[in-house]
């Protein structure tokens, strides 16, 4: 026998089917705003409600916040993605600190019991002043109301669903919410609460992971006073380039579009690219002169020169007194050569010019001078000092260069140990390859050509451009914008960095946005 339609019969097999589908849909929705919208919309559909409000419990569990408000008759839909509801939250306790049972939504949040009211204008026990003034403002007539708690798997109430004015589909009249509708929406509300809790948990964990990664990056940058902000700038630039690739609709990158997960993976790889530097000794990272170890040993050499000069002066004084064989000009010349030799070593120590063979010969020659401390006579320069002063280019010797270069391998070893979720599983690979070059001359693995994923190429370009233009490295002069781009171009011609990427960098003027943000005025020469 076919049942007569009434408010209870408004719920049918379709609704049950829909409820099952909604449950499945809720569990797969990743975006919290879209999830909230889905919950309220579906709750209205299965209860045939004209309007509805979704409240979320605040973090401190003191108030219910309006998350979404929908009303079909009024064409109202606020709080959906991007549009926040500005209404005052509902306090769960009154001014007397007692539970706020006067407000129906607060009451449901406190007790966890659903409330079903046939007509809010004809009921006792709750204060519906807010509803009445809403009606007055809008000309609406609130009547039937169903308020249910959103209780998650941990038995916590994380929100409240309030449904307004059940509509009889045949007559279009407002009817009370049926017991069946109440049951269905309670079931939907708890599924929604579980989905929402899971979603929040994932979002919170992702947020925590991002924050943790950034903290590590800051710690690495802080190790050296000269590289502050390097990782952050590289990560920013990497993402700008990736966004340009996504936005490109023609040419080489037309078919490439990084998904949200891939963008996240790339962002994290960029933030972590130098994590291996955590093991690099500071005196190597910051080695600003050839003789610097924990301190710059040029100071030691200066002391030795001063001692030698004093010896000459003493000899001169003695000779003056004896008058025999005294040649002050010669002594003055000797002292002058000492000064010149010391100045030569100071210059060489800076490592700013290429050290040619004849310079190395001169270092060795100077080294042969003797000086004495109180106990013994020693060569003016130690073997280690000669070795370091003879560095041809820059300030790092081979062993130190290897220690520095090792950071990329350490990056791989560290990141490869971390159990990143599947969608982020390539972070170690992308991050560790940022010093590889297309021609295979990079490190740590000497990868070349197709072995280098696009993501690594992007980080590499960002890393080089940042290093060239950084204004805070004491051991090398910052480059102007045009000089940096010229060097990048040369690196493209030398098959070190990706040509298509460099062309995109130039065509889309990625450098320009970066320069305005990060470079000093004197670097802006184009
Ligand atoms: Fe690096
Ligand atoms: Fe780097």
């Amino acid at each position: 026998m076919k049942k007569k339609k009434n408010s209870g019969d408004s719920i049918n097999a379709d609704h049950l089917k829909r409820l099952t589908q909604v449950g499945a849909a809720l569990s797969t929705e990743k975006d919290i705003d879209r999830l909230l919208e889905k919950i309220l919309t579906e709750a209205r559909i299965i209860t045939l409600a004209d309007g509805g409000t979704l409240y979320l419990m605040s973090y401190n569990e003191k108030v219910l916040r309006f998350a979404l408000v929908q009303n079909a008759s009024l064409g109202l839909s606020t709080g959906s993605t991007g549009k926040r509801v500005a209404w005052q939250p509902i306090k769960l306790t009154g001014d007397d600190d007692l539970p706020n049972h006067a407000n129906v939504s607060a009451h449901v949040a406190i007790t966890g019991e659903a409330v079903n009211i046939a007509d809010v204008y004809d009921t006792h026990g709750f204060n519906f002043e807010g509803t009445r003034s809403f009606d007055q403002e809008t000309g609406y007539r609130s009547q039937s109301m169903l308020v249910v708690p959103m209780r998650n798997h941990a038995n916590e109430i994380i929100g409240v669903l309030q449904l307004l004015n059940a509509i009889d589909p045949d007559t279009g009249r407002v009817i009370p919410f049926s017991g069946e509708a109440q049951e269905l929406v309670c079931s939907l509300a708890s599924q929604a609460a579980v989905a929402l809790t899971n979603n929040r948990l994932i979002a919170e964990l992702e947020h925590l992971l991002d924050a943790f990664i950034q903290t590590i990056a800051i710690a690495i940058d802080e190790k050296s006073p000269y590289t502050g902000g390097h990782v952050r700038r590289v990560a920013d630039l990497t993402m700008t380039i990736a966004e340009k690739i996504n936005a490109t609709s023609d040419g080489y990158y037309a078919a490439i579009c990084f998904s949200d997960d891939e963008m996240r993976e790339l962002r994290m790889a960029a933030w972590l690219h130098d994590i291996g530097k955590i093991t690099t000794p500071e005196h190597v990272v910051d080695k600003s002169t050839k003789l610097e170890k924990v301190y710059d040993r040029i100071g030691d050499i200066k002391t030795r020169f001063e001692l030698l000069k004093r010896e000459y002066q003493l000899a001169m004084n003695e000779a003056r007194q004896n008058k025999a064989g005294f040649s002050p000009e010669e002594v003055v010349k000797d002292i002058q050569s000492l000064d010149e030799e010391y100045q030569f070593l100071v210059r060489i120590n800076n490592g700013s010019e290429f050290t040619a063979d004849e310079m190395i010969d001169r270092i060795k020659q100077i080294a042969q001078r003797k000086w004495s401390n109180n106990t013994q006579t020693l060569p003016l320069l130690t073997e280690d000092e000669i070795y370091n002063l003879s560095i041809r280019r820059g300030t790092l010797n081979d062993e130190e260069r290897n220690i520095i270069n090792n950071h990329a391998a350490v990056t791989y070893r560290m990141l490869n140990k971390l159990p990143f979720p599947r969608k982020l599983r390539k972070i170690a690979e992308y991050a560790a390859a940022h010093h590889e070059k297309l021609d295979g001359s990079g490190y740590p693995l000497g990868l070349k050509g197709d072995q280098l994923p696009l993501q690594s190429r992007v980080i590499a370009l960002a890393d080089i451009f940042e290093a060239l233009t950084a204004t805070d490295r004491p051991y090398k002069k910052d480059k102007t914008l045009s000089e940096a781009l010229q060097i990048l171009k040369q690196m493209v011609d030398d098959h070190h960095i990706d040509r298509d990427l460099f062309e995109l960098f130039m065509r889309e003027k990625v450098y320009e946005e970066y320069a305005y943000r990060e470079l000093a005025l004197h670097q802006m020469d184009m």
Side-chain angles (χ1 to χ4, degrees), residues 273-274 277 407 434-435 463:
H273 79 277
D274 272 339
K277 281 190 184 164
H407 81 272
H434 71 277
H435 288 297
D463 191 48

Side-chain angles (χ1 to χ4, degrees), residues 432-438 440-448 452 460 496:
H434 71 277
H435 288 297
E436 300 285 3
K437 293 173 183 168
L438 282 174
S441 65
Y443 59 90
L445 299 175
L447 299 176
K448 62 160 108 173
L452 279 173
H496 289 176

Side-chain angles (χ1 to χ4, degrees), residues 172-432:
R173 293 165 68 101
V174 176
I175 50 172
F177 287 94
S178 70
E180 263 176 304
Q182 183 172 330
E183 238 173 79
L184 280 175
V185 85
C186 280
S187 165
L188 172 82
S190 51
Q191 288 186 63
V194 172
L196 200 55
T197 304
N198 287 342
N199 230 322
R200 276 179 168 177
L201 219 56
I202 293 169
E204 281 168 9
L205 283 176
E206 285 183 347
H207 191 64
L208 175 69
L209 186 59
D210 281 344
F212 192 63
I213 284 171
Q214 293 182 12
T215 305
I216 294 172
I218 290 165
I220 294 163
D221 278 353
E222 286 287 319
K223 267 186 81 166
S224 159
Y226 309 130
T227 56
H230 165 72
V231 175
R232 197 248 327 140
R233 289 193 290 264
V234 171
D236 283 355
L237 190 51
T238 295
M239 295 323 289
T240 312
I241 299 171
E243 279 156 18
K244 295 287 183 203
I245 291 176
N246 277 1
T248 301
S249 55
D250 55 356
Y252 185 78
Y253 294 114
I256 297 174
C257 186
F258 298 119
S259 68
D260 287 351
D261 284 342
E262 285 168 335
M263 290 292 269
R264 189 167 148 69
E265 185 178 42
L266 178 60
R267 184 180 308 109
M268 289 171 104
W271 271 100
L272 289 166
H273 79 277
D274 272 339
I275 192 173
K277 281 190 184 164
I278 219 159
T279 62
T280 314
E282 285 87 338
H283 72 267
V284 180
V285 178
D286 291 344
K287 195 181 181 204
S288 60
T289 64
K290 294 180 180 181
L291 288 173
E292 186 171 323
K293 269 216 185 311
V294 177
Y295 65 96
D296 188 350
R297 288 169 293 159
I298 192 74
D300 296 354
I301 294 175
K302 186 176 184 193
T303 311
R304 288 173 222 157
F305 270 99
E306 292 300 328
L307 283 170
L308 276 185
K309 276 162 71 178
R310 220 176 60 201
E311 274 176 31
Y312 276 111
Q313 259 148 0
L314 284 172
M316 186 154 73
N317 289 345
E318 221 170 275
R320 224 182 235 137
Q321 279 164 10
N322 296 338
K323 301 245 184 239
F326 173 59
S327 167
E329 297 78 16
E330 222 167 273
V331 180
V332 168
K333 235 166 88 189
D334 284 338
I335 292 177
Q336 259 172 8
S337 349
L338 282 175
D339 282 337
E340 278 166 24
E341 286 171 8
Y342 172 67
Q343 286 311 324
F344 167 72
L345 292 183
V346 168
R347 209 180 81 219
I348 290 293
N349 187 36
N350 281 335
S352 48
E353 61 186 309
F354 179 75
T355 309
D357 287 346
E358 57 273 20
M359 293 167 157
I360 293 176
D361 289 344
R362 191 170 176 202
I363 295 168
K364 287 180 181 155
Q365 218 180 338
I366 296 171
Q368 282 170 12
R369 283 188 181 275
K370 296 280 186 284
W371 73 289
S372 18
N373 59 20
N374 288 334
T375 52
Q376 53 186 333
T377 302
L378 298 162
L380 188 66
L381 300 177
T382 66
E383 283 302 321
D384 186 67
E385 285 160 356
I386 299 171
Y387 176 60
N388 276 284
L389 285 167
S390 305
I391 293 167
R392 297 280 189 176
R393 211 182 281 280
T395 58
L396 296 174
N397 62 40
D398 289 348
E399 293 73 23
E400 289 159 344
R401 172 82 46 210
N402 286 339
I403 292 174
I404 291 264
N405 289 2
N406 191 41
H407 81 272
V410 177
T411 289
Y412 185 78
R413 287 208 297 277
M414 288 177 73
L415 297 182
N416 199 36
K417 280 255 178 288
L418 297 178
F420 284 108
R422 227 184 126 61
K423 60 188 179 184
L424 306 174
R425 68 186 183 281
K426 294 205 168 156
I427 286 179
E429 182 192 341
Y430 297 157

Side-chain angles (χ1 to χ4, degrees), residues 475-490:
Y475 44 87
K476 65 186 182 52
K477 200 182 152 298
D478 50 23
K479 302 271 185 293
T480 66
L481 193 52
S482 69
E483 285 168 343
L485 293 174
Q486 190 51 45
I487 294 172
L488 282 185
K489 165 90 177 49
Q490 188 56 52

Side-chain angles (χ1 to χ4, degrees), residues 233-235 237-238 241 457-467:
R233 289 193 290 264
V234 171
L237 190 51
T238 295
I241 299 171
R457 299 176 191 212
V458 175
I459 301 175
L461 176 60
D463 191 48
I464 296 166
F465 186 69
E466 196 287 335

